[in-house]
Amino acid sequence: HSSPSSSSTNEPPKQRSQPRSGLAQELLNLALKSPLWTYVMVPQARASIVKTAESNGIQWMNAKAWLNEQLTIKDYNQVVYPKYYQQSFHAY
C-alpha cells in the first residue's frame, strides 16, 4: 500500500524556484517596506479578503468575533509569534 506522497512513477523530484533577484525585485521590496504599503495597500487587501470570504458564504465578522471570545490572552505583548507570522503581509 503506497502513501499519498509516494509516486508509482520514477519522476524526478520537483525543483524549488530560486528566490527572485534583480532591480525589479529590489524595487518591489522597497515598495513593500514603504508606509504607503502599510497604511493603504494592506487595509485594502484585507478588505478584499473579507469581501471575498463573505461573498462565498463565510460570515467573516461573526467568525472573527467568535475567535476573539475564545482567546484567553488579552495582553498580546505576552504572545510569542513564530517567525513566519512576523513576515510582511501577503495575500494571493
Side-chain angles (χ1 to χ4, degrees), residues 52-60:
T52 300
E54 290 178 344
S55 70
N56 286 305
I58 298 169
Q59 296 180 354
W60 187 274

Side-chain angles (χ1 to χ4, degrees), residues 2-70:
S2 64
S3 67
S5 62
S6 67
S7 175
S8 60
T9 63
N10 291 328
E11 296 175 22
K14 292 184 179 180
Q15 292 183 349
R16 291 183 170 210
S17 298
Q18 293 297 314
R20 295 179 180 166
S21 62
L23 179 61
Q25 186 64 43
E26 291 300 317
L27 291 172
L28 177 61
N29 291 343
L30 280 172
L32 294 176
K33 291 177 185 175
S34 79
L36 176 68
W37 174 256
T38 303
Y39 297 109
V40 176
M41 300 304 290
V42 170
Q44 286 181 351
R46 286 185 177 140
S48 177
I49 291 168
V50 171
K51 182 179 177 183
T52 300
E54 290 178 344
S55 70
N56 286 305
I58 298 169
Q59 296 180 354
W60 187 274
M61 297 312 285
N62 290 346
K64 181 180 175 185
W66 181 84
L67 286 170
N68 283 333
E69 290 170 3
Q70 307 309 306

